[in-house]
Amino acid sequence: MKTIRNHNNTPLFDALKNYNKRNVIPFDVPGHKHGNGIPEFAEYIGKKALEIDVNSMKCLDNISNPISVIKDAEELMADAYCSDYAFFLVNGTSFGVQAMVMTVCKPGDKIIMPRNAHKSAINSLIISGAIPIYVQPEINDELGIAMGVTVENIKKSIMENPDAKAVFLINPTYYGAVSKMKEIIEVAHKNGLAVLVDEAHGAHFRYHDELPKTGIELGADMAAVSLHKTGGSLTQSSVLLLNEGLIDKNTVKTALNLLQTTSASYLLMSSLDVARKMLVTKGQEILSRVLKYTRAARQEINNINGLYAFGKELVGYPGVYNFDETKLGVCVRNLGITGFKAYDILRDKYNIQVELGDVFNILAIISVGDTEESIKLLVDALRDMSFKYRSSEMKLDKVALKNPEVIISPRDAFYAKKRVIKLEDAQGEISGESIMAYPPGIPIVAPGERINKQIIEYIKFLKNQHSMLRDTEDPYVDNIKVLGI
Ligand SMILES: Cc1ncc(COP(=O)(O)O)c(C=O)c1O
């Protein structure tokens, strides 16, 4: 990959190590004072980690107005991702998504987005007051999951909404599907719309030439990238990338400073610095291994009776222009069990934690931290499971929901008067809250959308499957908040 700077440098991590060498006597926060105030934790996680868990100070720069070591580290990150600017984030890509939408949309502005967006995107509509113009993602009925969006559907939405301000894209979807990004970006730009990309699951794309291209490489204006998911940095650490032109750097900075903590974790930020160095200097080599293992695993899994590890053969189906092979989705439908059940079996009987289970599939994420041995354990467990846990329990044949009808904007619904009713009585009501299985965190129904019979049946089904339902006031989802008094 082409970069301009010396990526062996880790300016922020070095500054932190230098600070630690000086044995500074801390009379600032955090109050654990290099771990002394929480000895049990320090002993478990290692004193060094707590010695560098410090707050902003002159020699360590400040996330809200970087002028020295954070600025240098962000510039290296921008160079690595081929963007004009990079902003470190310590509240995940969720915050990046919200900052992107806030930067581009004022209250009342329209934004075109697929309805299978993560909750952070739906929540960004509440925070910014933007109005969603949802595009139906393509559905793969065999797998029961949403794929990408088509150029035609985005084009149609733009033509029907010439006043829209931005197009929001997911690159790739949780399961690895990649839309025809370049063409969509070109169509959006031709019509004056900014392109914002949720790249929570694509942090590794830039670092191997056999992986799909990143949104920024293809000309998108902004992208929020979860380095912590597939790039090796610590949980919560992400970056927001900007290509200047349609969007001004200072507007982004203002949006970030509105919601961002004033005590950004140096552990998280310095892990971004080191992950970037690793990805630029060794990414091609590491990801070649990851791809080799994943391809071999896919082949082996596809030889197991009853299992289907989907991958690049989906390219060419509607909404799948490319596919991220490091997402190892396995359809367990022909074993006669649900993906939820397979997820539990793998965890309880084989000590294997996969990323998610849905109705027909499980999803394993293969990344920079995996080894040939760890992947072999997964394949062996799947083989054993396919013998021991076949069943005839599964009767469902179609699961993916169509976009619910939007009655009022998510923000108006958020601020509206609400009442709580039984879930089974909610048909026809307008939802006052989001309900989702997490992961993947895609709202089944969002504030302002009409609750239909299919939604109620689906939520009941998920409850029966002991799926982790989230974001409702009632933690057991027997009740639901709807609009009205
Ligand atoms: C598609 C998508 N976007 C955004 C996010 C939020 O990312 P983060 O966990 O880094 O806040 C997720 C999290 O799973 C996601 O799946």
Side-chain angles (χ1 to χ4, degrees), residues 91-94 118 120 170 174 198 200-201 226 228-229 238 438 440:
N91 189 18
T93 288
S94 297
H118 182 254
S120 56
I170 306 165
Y174 221 134
D198 175 346
H201 298 285
S226 290
H228 72 93
K229 289 196 196 295
S238 288
Y438 209 105

Side-chain angles (χ1 to χ4, degrees), residues 62 242 332 385 446 482:
N62 191 305
L242 167 69
V332 298
M385 183 178 84
V482 297

Side-chain angles (χ1 to χ4, degrees), residues 91-97 116-121 168 170-174 198-201 224-229 235-238 355 438-442:
N91 189 18
T93 288
S94 297
F95 178 47
V97 164
N116 61 330
H118 182 254
K119 67 177 247 189
S120 56
F168 182 93
I170 306 165
N171 186 47
T173 64
Y174 221 134
D198 175 346
E199 230 154 61
H201 298 285
V225 185
S226 290
L227 258 96
H228 72 93
K229 289 196 196 295
T235 296
Q236 277 188 229
S237 60
S238 288
E355 176 71 10
Y438 209 105
I442 298 165

Side-chain angles (χ1 to χ4, degrees), residues 73-82 86 88 227 239 241 272 276:
E74 288 185 339
E75 283 177 2
L76 282 162
M77 187 66 85
D79 186 52
Y81 277 101
C82 216
F88 283 5
L227 258 96
V239 290
L241 305 173
L272 287 169
R276 182 264 316 145

Side-chain angles (χ1 to χ4, degrees), residues 313-349:
E313 72 287 351
L314 296 179
V315 172
Y317 277 63
V320 195
Y321 177 70
N322 203 344
F323 196 86
D324 174 10
E325 294 174 80
T326 69
K327 308 283 186 288
L328 188 56
V330 181
C331 183
V332 298
R333 191 176 177 174
N334 288 337
L335 293 183
I337 58 173
T338 63
F340 302 113
K341 180 92 185 232
Y343 174 101
D344 285 343
I345 292 171
L346 286 168
R347 185 70 183 80
D348 298 343
K349 308 287 181 196

